[in-house]
Every structure is written in structure tokens, then in C-alpha cells.
Amino acid sequence: MSLPLRAAIIGCGRIAGGYDEDPASGHILTHANAYTTHKATQLVAVADTDADQADRFARRWRVPRSFADGRVLLEQTRPDLVSICTPTDTHAHYLELCLAVSPRAVWCEKPLVT
């Protein structure tokens, strides 16, 4: 396995990175902070259906690519790790998209489905 593992986040809200807006807290609360802090991972792309939100998130976390479509992110970047941080009713959809590109791992916020 080559390191760093390339990570991507679909959904750019609070659990994705918003809860860590204050780095002075000293705690890692979000996917973005975990990926950018750990030496074995590199956050390479983010997506949100709100393109402006995805762009702001990418700038905040110094991510090189942002997308308004999770499917396009997956097809173009082929990440090793994917965090699904979208609303619950979209989890299964994004999980199916992830399985089509076969990342090493997918982390999906709970619940998986309703």
C-alpha cells in the first residue's frame, strides 16, 4: 500500500470540517481535520451540491480540487478513502457511487439509511 492514501469528502458541512473551524480547541472533530492532520492521508478533493460551499471548504482545508457533483469527484480523482458526510437520505446513493469506483474504504456518517 502506497502512502499517503488519497482521501475525498462528499458533503462539506459541519461534520465534514465545520466543527473544527477553531483549531485552537486541540481536538480533531471532523473528517477534514483528521485527513489533513494524519501523515498517512492526503485530502485531495471535496464535493458539495452547493459549488460555493465546496469551494470555500476546499480553500479552508487547502484541498486542491472541489466539485459540485460527488459522482464527478469519484470518477475524476479515484480516491483511496471516501467520507460521505451528506444528508441521511443521500447516503445510500453516494455509497453506490463509491462502490462503482472501488476505493479502499468508505466512511459513511450514520445512519446509513432511514
Side-chain angles (χ1 to χ4, degrees), residues 9 14-15 22 28 31 35 45 48-49 51 64 72 75 79 82 97:
I9 297 173
R14 291 179 293 190
I15 197 61
D22 177 15
I28 296 173
H31 295 256
Y35 288 138
D48 195 279
T49 55
V72 175
E75 290 173 354
V82 180
L97 292 176

Side-chain angles (χ1 to χ4, degrees), residues 52-74:
D52 292 334
Q53 173 69 8
D55 289 343
R56 284 190 303 273
F57 190 95
R59 282 192 304 277
R60 160 61 179 98
W61 291 102
R62 297 184 180 103
V63 181
R65 298 186 72 187
S66 67
F67 297 85
D69 186 324
R71 180 189 54 77
V72 175
L73 174 151
L74 294 167

Side-chain angles (χ1 to χ4, degrees), residues 41-104:
T41 58
Q42 177 184 11
L43 185 54
V44 298
V46 297
D48 195 279
T49 55
D50 179 337
D52 292 334
Q53 173 69 8
D55 289 343
R56 284 190 303 273
F57 190 95
R59 282 192 304 277
R60 160 61 179 98
W61 291 102
R62 297 184 180 103
V63 181
R65 298 186 72 187
S66 67
F67 297 85
D69 186 324
R71 180 189 54 77
V72 175
L73 174 151
L74 294 167
E75 290 173 354
Q76 290 188 10
T77 65
R78 301 281 177 169
D80 300 306
L81 309 171
V82 180
S83 286
I84 300 172
C85 302
T86 59
T88 300
D89 63 339
T90 66
H91 289 172
H93 168 72
Y94 286 116
L95 181 56
E96 287 177 353
L97 292 176
C98 287
L99 295 175
V101 299
S102 301
R104 290 181 180 267

